[in-house]
């Protein structure tokens, strides 16, 4: 990737410049604006390019002959200037994904030759200018995924050529005006995810004879189910989305849409569907009826419904209690999602007549109890997770690429047939977690080409098998935690160059620190908690070792020696996560969600999803000695730091005050000396502080979060003084947030009634004028304050009786 050369500005006779998708980065040079003869400029999809200063203004002022301007996915981070209206020859203007903000300028109305306008995926706000609806040549208009508000004008004078209209994912309100149904060329209308309301005029919908795509989901529109609308026909309509439209019965007009390929009626209140409702849908490929909670499926055996092209059927969370004839006759299904229902019973060999051509099947979150047979010979995705399936594990069909059967009651060993060498595919996603499976792991399981392998929370034992003899990027997530594995770690794990997550917690692994894992270029999570790891962690001369690591948990082992100072220097992944997109680890995997158990803020709990901006170090309950390195203060993205229950000595480094994102700091049960650094009061997000059972001395710092910590944060440090411990330094006062009696009275007024109720993690206290609810973690100084105030009220009450 390189910047655009400013020498482009010397090509003054240039009429067409297209360097899209070329990997350029950096600032767009001002010299581009010198090309005054340009008719077409395309810089799009160079995701590293940015506009700075007045370069864009110079382009729109100088390149007045432009007909095509493509700048999509270039960071502009500014408002769109009014001068854009100077480009009166423009036919195409594409500024999608440019991080533009502010209002859409009305001067766009000057671009009377415009045929294509794309301002999608920006941060435009305010109403849509009326001038946008008056273009006479416009064929494509996309303003989707902005923050636009307001209603549509009641009349427009243009848009007669418009074929694509995308306004979805905004905050538009009001009614859908009647002029929408007078656009003779309209092919696609996307209004979903707004705040539109009122009746949708179905009687006029049939006037859009060319309409192919209609999406009205996630609005407050009505009149979709009128009995009088059953004869309306849209012969070209192939996609209809009416999700979250508060529909209570299957819309009659939908029955006649013979050309439909895609129908989404999810998240409504439809009660009944019958096979005869779908008789005309011979080309239907995707049907989504999920999250119609009280849906019942008719079981009319007299109607032989076969949808020959149906590939995806989604009926999750519909309270279905049996597999009706409507479902079992669809033998060409590629995807069937019946998750989160109340389907009960077993799958037996007698049911081998349905779904024989199934490719994707999701029966998760139901009440299935047994598996005797897999009737799906072509299955690729099979999700049976979160059921009540008992007995031994039945190996999936050889075609399976993703096999998810976690959270069941399976027992016994993994069958050898799961390693069937005759499989036409290899299992990329294998999730057997949260069962009662046992036995040793076959070597073949480790040598198969997995992307995710999750065996956690079972009873497997023995040595962990080798994973790949040759180096490759296949394995990405390996969860073997909470079993009974023993022995040492297989060094073949160093061949798994794509490994991002390795969780071996709560086993009986006996080994030294696996420094050789430091060469893995993508490793983000390393959890070795609660094993028999031992010895010193040697310093590393390789600065790239563990450079991508964000979560390191070595707690509850037998490590000794000094803390690994050089590794703290290497942990680049914990130093600057502010620029990392906030996503979930493993979010790019459609079949699997990564979760992690971690001790945070003194409590062990499950992170159901792990954010890519989360960083933590837990080296507690070992035998580390020596001082805490100053270099820990460089890990400015840390949320959790736990070095408790070791033999650490020396002072608390003041550099810990640099950990601006820190929420939990536990240094308890060591031999730390000296004063608590005042720099720690700069940790504005610190919710838990535990410095107890050390040899700290002097005045406890005051201010900000430190005013919320009570005695249990400091217990066992007998030479500490000042709030909140009982020992006075002779000149210290309680924090300013604690009022004297008269100040407290004046702050809240003299004439009030006081009520206090404990809720464990918060307090509710009220006055005659209303109430205040504290839902934050219990600030003990505030508890003390409220208790003292309550005692004063009680004393006054007794005095005045």
């Amino acid at each position: 990737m390189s910047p655009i050369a400013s020498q482009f500005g010397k090509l003054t006779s240039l009429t067409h410049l297209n360097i899209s998708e070329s990997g350029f980065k950096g600032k767009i040079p001002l010299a581009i604006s010198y090309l005054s003869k340009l008719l077409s400029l395309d810089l799009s999809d160079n995701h590293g390019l940015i506009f700075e200063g007045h370069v864009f203004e110079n382009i729109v002022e100088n390149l007045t002959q432009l007909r095509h301007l493509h700048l999509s996915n270039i960071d502009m981070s500014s408002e769109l200037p009014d001068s854009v209206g100077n480009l009166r020859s423009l036919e195409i203007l594409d500024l999608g994904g440019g991080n533009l903000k502010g209002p859409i300028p009305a001067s766009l109305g000057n671009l009377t030759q415009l045929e294509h306008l794309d301002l999608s995926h920006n941060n435009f706000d305010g109403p849509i200018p009326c001038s946008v609806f008056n273009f006479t040549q416009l064929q494509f208009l996309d303003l989707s995924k902005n923050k636009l508000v307001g209603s549509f004008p009641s009349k427009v004078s243009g848009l007669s050529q418009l074929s694509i209209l995308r306004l979805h994912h905004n905050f538009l309100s009001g009614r859908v005006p009647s002029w929408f149904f007078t656009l003779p060329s309209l092919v696609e209308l996307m209004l979903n995810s707004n705040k539109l309301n009122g009746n949708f005029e179905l009687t006029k919908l049939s006037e859009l004879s060319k309409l192919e795509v209609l999406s009205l989901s996630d609005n407050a529109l009505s009149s979709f189910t009128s009995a009088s609308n059953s004869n309306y026909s849209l012969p070209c309509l192939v996609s209809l989305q009416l999700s979250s439209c508060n529909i209570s019965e299957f819309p009659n007009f939908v029955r006649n849409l013979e050309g439909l390929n895609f129908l989404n009626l999810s998240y409504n209140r439809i009660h009944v569907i019958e096979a005869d409702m779908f008789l005309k849908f011979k080309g239907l490929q995707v049907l989504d009826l999920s999250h119609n909670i009280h849906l019942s499926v008719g079981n009319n055996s007299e109607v032989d419904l076969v949808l020959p092209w149906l590939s995806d059927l989604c009926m999750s969370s519909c309270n279905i209690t049996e597999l009706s004839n409507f479902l079992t006759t669809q033998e060409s299904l590629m995807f069937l999602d019946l998750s989160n229902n109340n389907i009960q019973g077993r799958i037996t060999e007698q049911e081998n007549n349905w779904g024989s051509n199934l490719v994707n099947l999701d029966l998760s979150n139901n009440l299935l109890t047994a598996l005797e047979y897999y009737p799906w010979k072509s299955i690729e995705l099979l999700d049976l997770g979160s059921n009540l399936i008992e007995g031994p594990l039945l190996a999936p069909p050889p075609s399976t690429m993703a096999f998810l059967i976690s959270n069941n009651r399976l027992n016994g060993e993994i069958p050898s047939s799961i390693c069937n060498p005759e499989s036409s595919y290899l299992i990329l996603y294998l999730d057997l977690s949260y069962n009662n499976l046992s036995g040793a792991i076959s070597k073949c399981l480790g040598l198969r080409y997995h992307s995710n392998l999750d065996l956690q929370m079972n009873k497997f034992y023995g040595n962990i098998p080798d994973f790949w003899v040759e180096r490759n990027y296949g394995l990405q997530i390996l969860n073997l935690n909470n079993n009974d594995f023993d022995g040492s770690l297989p060094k073949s794990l160093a061949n798994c160059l794509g490994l991002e997550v390795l969780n071996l917690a709560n086993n009986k692994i006996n080994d030294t620190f696996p420094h050789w894992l430091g060469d893995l270029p993508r490793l983000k999570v390393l959890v070795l908690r609660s094993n028999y790891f031992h010895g010193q962690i040697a310093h590393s001369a390789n600065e790239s070792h563990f450079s991508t690591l964000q979560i390191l948990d070595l707690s509850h082992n037998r490590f000794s020696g000094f803390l690994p100072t050089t590794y703290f220097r290497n942990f680049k992944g914990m130093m600057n996560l502010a620029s990392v997109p906030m996503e979930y680890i493993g979010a790019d995997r459609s079949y699997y969600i990564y979760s992690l158990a971690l001790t945070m803020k003194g409590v062990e709990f499950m992170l159901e999803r792990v954010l890519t901006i989360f960083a933590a170090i837990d080296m507690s309950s070992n035998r580390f000695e020596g001082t805490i390195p100053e270099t820990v203060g460089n890990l400015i993205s840390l949320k959790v730091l736990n070095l408790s229950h070791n033999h650490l000595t020396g002072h608390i480094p003041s550099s810990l005050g640099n950990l601006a994102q820190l929420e939990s700091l536990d240094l308890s049960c060591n031999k730390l000396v000296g004063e608590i650094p005042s720099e720690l009061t700069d940790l504005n997000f610190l919710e838990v502080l535990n410095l107890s059972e050390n040899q700290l001395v002097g005045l406890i710092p005051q201010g900000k979060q430190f005013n919320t910590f009570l005695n249990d944060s400091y217990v066992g440090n007998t030479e500490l003084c000042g709030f909140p411990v009982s020992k006075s330094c002779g000149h210290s006062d309680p924090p300013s947030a604690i009022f004297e009696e008269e100040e407290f009275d004046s702050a809240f007024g003299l004439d009030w009634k006081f009520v206090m109720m404990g809720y464990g993690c918060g307090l509710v206290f009220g006055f005659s004028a209303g109430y205040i609810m504290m839902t934050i973690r219990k600030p003990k100084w505030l508890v003390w304050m409220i208790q003292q105030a309550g005692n004063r009220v009680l004393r006054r009450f007794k005095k005045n009786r």
Side-chain angles (χ1 to χ4, degrees):
M1 297 178 69
S2 58
I4 298 176
S6 59
Q7 284 79 2
F8 273 114
K10 298 178 181 179
L11 306 175
T12 54
S13 297
L14 202 64
T15 59
H16 293 76
L17 177 59
N18 185 345
I19 53 174
S20 62
E21 300 184 76
S22 300
F24 286 108
K25 67 175 183 179
K27 300 177 183 178
I28 295 173
L30 180 63
I32 294 289
S33 67
Y34 303 159
L35 306 177
S36 58
K37 295 184 179 180
L38 273 183
L39 301 178
S40 176
L41 174 61
D42 191 345
L43 308 179
S44 62
D45 297 315
N46 288 285
H47 294 271
L49 284 180
I50 57 174
F51 274 106
E52 285 193 354
H54 299 284
V55 174
F56 182 73
E57 288 89 334
N58 287 339
I59 285 176
V60 298
E61 288 174 4
N62 297 337
L63 308 187
T64 55
Q65 297 185 50
L66 274 177
R67 296 177 184 173
H68 298 172
L69 180 57
H70 299 271
L71 300 176
S72 62
N73 296 309
I74 294 176
D75 188 3
M76 303 180 76
S77 297
S78 64
E79 295 189 2
L80 187 61
D82 285 330
S83 56
V84 72
N86 296 337
L87 302 175
R88 295 176 182 268
S89 298
L90 265 188
E91 298 171 359
I92 297 176
L93 177 59
D94 186 353
L95 303 177
N99 200 23
L100 290 161
K101 56 188 177 181
I104 296 175
S107 61
L108 281 178
N110 298 335
L111 311 181
T112 56
Q113 304 302 310
L114 209 58
E115 298 176 3
H116 181 112
L117 176 60
D118 188 346
L119 302 179
S120 64
H121 293 81
N122 282 290
N123 293 305
F124 287 115
D125 54 29
I128 302 173
C130 291
S131 58
V132 170
F133 296 112
N134 293 326
F135 292 116
T136 58
Q137 306 297 319
L138 197 65
Q139 300 174 26
F140 180 100
L141 175 59
D142 191 348
L143 305 180
S144 64
K145 297 191 175 181
N146 281 284
K147 300 175 182 177
L148 299 171
V149 299
S151 57
F152 298 109
S154 58
K155 295 181 180 180
V156 296
S157 59
L159 304 183
S160 60
Q161 304 297 316
L162 192 67
S163 60
I164 306 295
L165 178 56
R166 298 173 181 167
L167 302 174
H168 55 91
H169 288 90
N170 280 288
F171 300 97
L172 301 172
S173 57
R175 295 174 177 268
V176 177
S178 58
W179 58 260
F180 270 77
F181 306 102
T182 64
L183 304 178
S185 302
L186 200 62
V187 172
E188 180 180 321
L189 176 59
M190 307 255 321
L191 299 176
N192 55 288
S193 302
N194 279 287
K195 297 182 178 181
L196 301 173
N197 53 48
N199 292 338
F200 186 78
E201 299 184 54
L202 284 171
T203 55
K204 297 183 178 180
L205 188 61
S206 59
E207 296 178 17
L208 301 176
S209 59
K210 297 181 180 180
L211 194 65
E212 296 179 5
V213 176
L214 176 61
S215 181
L216 303 173
S217 300
D218 298 297
N219 282 290
L221 298 169
S222 57
S223 292
F224 291 114
T225 58
S226 172
S228 62
N229 61 47
S230 58
N231 294 321
Y232 305 142
S233 177
L234 292 167
C236 297
L237 196 68
V238 295
S239 176
L240 176 61
Q241 299 190 46
L242 299 177
S243 174
S244 299
C245 285
N246 201 28
I247 298 172
S248 58
E249 61 183 81
F250 192 86
N252 286 328
F253 83 98
V254 174
R255 299 181 185 220
N256 295 320
L257 303 178
E258 299 182 15
L260 273 186
N261 293 334
F262 184 102
L263 175 59
N264 184 354
L265 296 172
S266 62
Y267 289 93
N268 282 294
R269 297 183 294 111
I270 299 173
H271 296 289
V272 178
I273 59 169
E274 298 283 354
D276 59 3
M277 296 175 177
F278 303 90
L279 287 175
K280 295 184 179 182
F281 298 160
K282 297 303 182 182
L284 194 64
Q285 298 175 22
V286 177
L287 174 59
D288 190 348
L289 298 170
S290 60
H291 296 275
N292 285 278
I293 298 176
H294 300 294
L295 183 68
S296 63
V297 181
N299 207 8
N300 187 352
S301 59
E302 296 180 0
V303 178
D304 185 15
L305 174 65
V306 177
L307 303 175
W309 299 105
L310 193 64
S311 61
D312 293 51
L313 175 59
C314 304
M315 301 187 70
S316 62
S317 298
C318 290
N319 272 337
I320 296 174
T321 57
E322 62 179 350
L323 297 177
S324 69
N325 181 60
F326 170 74
L327 301 176
T328 58
T329 55
Q330 308 311 315
E331 297 206 5
S332 297
L333 277 177
M334 295 179 65
F335 178 82
L336 174 61
D337 182 352
L338 299 175
S339 59
N340 294 293
N341 287 297
N342 283 325
I343 299 172
Q344 304 180 43
R346 59 180 63 212
I347 297 175
T348 66
E349 190 165 358
Q350 284 69 33
E351 293 168 342
N352 61 3
N353 65 317
W354 73 276
S356 58
N357 296 321
L358 220 59
V359 174
N360 298 324
L361 174 63
D362 184 351
L363 293 173
S364 61
N365 294 284
N366 286 293
L367 300 173
L368 293 172
T369 56
L371 282 173
E372 299 176 3
Y373 177 75
Y374 293 125
W376 314 293
K377 304 302 182 183
S378 303
I379 201 78
E380 294 181 7
L381 165 62
L382 180 56
D383 189 350
L384 301 171
S386 299
N387 278 282
L388 303 173
I389 301 171
E390 299 178 334
L393 174 65
L394 184 64
S399 59
T400 308
M401 298 180 67
F403 183 42
L404 315 174
I405 195 167
S406 62
N407 288 283
N408 278 284
R409 301 175 180 178
L410 299 171
N411 54 42
E413 299 185 359
I414 298 177
S416 59
S417 56
I418 207 167
C419 295
N420 184 1
E422 298 179 359
S423 296
S424 56
Y425 297 98
L426 299 172
I427 301 180
L428 299 180
Y429 298 84
L430 180 59
D431 186 356
L432 308 179
S433 61
Y434 291 89
N435 280 287
N436 293 311
L437 297 168
S438 59
I441 301 300
S442 171
K443 291 183 179 180
C444 75
L445 196 63
L447 298 178
R448 286 179 67 88
Y449 190 95
H450 295 297
S451 176
N452 293 0
L453 179 59
D454 194 340
L455 305 180
Q456 65 175 305
M457 300 299 293
N458 280 286
K459 299 177 181 178
F460 296 119
Y461 55 78
N463 291 341
I464 297 173
D466 280 320
F467 285 87
W468 290 100
V469 177
E470 300 177 357
R471 294 160 71 86
N472 72 91
Y473 286 88
L475 187 63
Q476 298 173 22
I477 293 180
L478 179 59
N479 279 346
L480 302 179
N481 53 286
N482 294 85
N483 282 286
D484 290 315
F485 290 115
D486 55 26
S488 58
L489 279 186
K491 287 188 168 56
S492 59
L493 283 171
N495 295 326
C496 302
L497 300 180
L499 196 63
E500 297 179 17
V501 176
L502 177 59
N503 191 341
L504 303 171
N506 294 290
N507 281 287
K508 299 175 182 178
I509 301 169
N510 193 336
D511 205 343
T512 56
F513 181 73
H515 60 86
W516 37 270
L517 291 175
D519 291 323
L520 298 179
R522 300 178 182 175
L523 191 63
K524 297 178 181 179
V525 179
L526 177 59
V527 181
L528 305 179
R529 180 181 68 249
S530 298
N531 278 283
Y532 299 133
F533 286 97
H534 57 272
Q536 300 184 17
I537 301 179
H539 293 291
S540 172
N542 189 337
E543 294 184 359
S544 65
H545 262 199
F546 297 108
S547 61
T548 57
L549 204 63
Q550 294 177 215
I551 299 175
L552 175 63
D553 189 347
L554 306 181
S555 63
H556 296 277
N557 280 287
R558 299 173 181 175
F559 289 115
S560 58
F562 298 122
L563 292 173
T565 303
T566 54
Y567 284 129
F568 291 137
R569 295 195 188 103
N570 293 352
F571 291 159
K572 302 296 190 300
M574 305 183 192
M575 293 182 184
N576 187 19
L577 294 178
S579 59
V580 174
M582 187 161 50
E583 300 171 346
Y584 292 108
I585 293 178
D588 57 332
R589 300 166 184 86
S590 49
Y591 306 140
Y592 183 84
I593 298 173
Y594 176 67
S595 58
L596 174 67
L598 195 68
T599 300
M600 289 177 53
K601 305 172 185 178
V603 178
E604 182 175 318
F605 64 93
M606 180 68 69
L607 296 175
E608 295 296 336
R609 296 191 176 192
V610 183
L611 284 170
T612 51
I613 61 170
F614 183 80
I617 291 178
D618 190 346
M619 305 178 78
S620 63
S621 298
N622 280 284
R623 301 170 183 175
F624 290 114
E625 58 188 48
T627 60
I628 300 174
E630 289 278 348
T631 53
V632 177
N634 296 330
L635 309 179
I636 58 174
S637 294
L638 273 182
K639 303 282 188 183
V640 177
L641 177 60
N642 189 348
L643 302 176
S644 65
H645 293 85
N646 281 290
H647 306 297
L648 301 174
T649 56
H651 293 74
I652 298 174
S654 59
S655 64
L656 296 188
N658 298 330
L659 305 180
Q661 301 300 314
L662 200 65
E663 298 178 9
S664 177
L665 175 61
D666 192 346
L667 304 178
S668 63
C669 298
N670 282 289
K671 300 177 182 179
L672 300 172
V673 299
E675 297 185 350
I676 300 172
S678 60
E679 288 82 356
L680 297 188
T681 60
D682 294 330
L683 303 179
N684 294 329
F685 296 104
L686 194 64
E687 296 183 24
V688 172
L689 174 67
N690 192 349
L691 304 178
S692 63
E693 303 299 338
N694 280 287
Q695 300 169 19
L696 302 171
V697 300
L699 176 66
I700 296 173
Q702 301 298 324
K704 299 181 180 177
Q705 292 298 98
F706 266 71
N707 289 359
T708 71
F709 305 129
L710 207 56
N711 190 56
D712 56 356
S713 293
Y714 311 103
V715 68
N717 295 277
T718 57
E719 297 303 312
L720 284 176
C721 58
F723 179 81
V725 300
S726 57
K727 184 176 181 179
S728 173
C729 293
H731 59 277
S732 64
D733 297 313
S736 58
I738 297 181
F739 303 101
E740 295 297 328
E741 181 170 343
E742 294 304 319
E743 292 176 323
F744 190 88
D745 288 342
S746 62
F748 294 114
L750 294 175
D751 183 20
W752 50 269
K753 299 177 181 179
F754 190 94
V755 180
M756 180 173 67
M757 296 173 286
Y759 280 89
C761 292
L763 294 170
V764 177
F765 57 100
F767 309 98
S768 58
Y771 68 90
I772 302 173
M773 176 173 282
M774 305 296 294
T775 57
I776 59 174
R777 181 188 55 81
K778 186 162 52 180
K780 297 183 179 179
W781 63 268
L782 182 58
V783 175
W784 179 87
M785 181 182 77
I786 299 300
Q787 289 173 339
Q788 295 301 313
N791 290 336
R792 288 193 292 272
V793 172
L794 184 60
R795 288 198 300 270
R796 292 181 184 178
F797 176 74
K798 291 180 178 178
K799 184 187 298 183
N800 295 329
R801 289 185 64 182

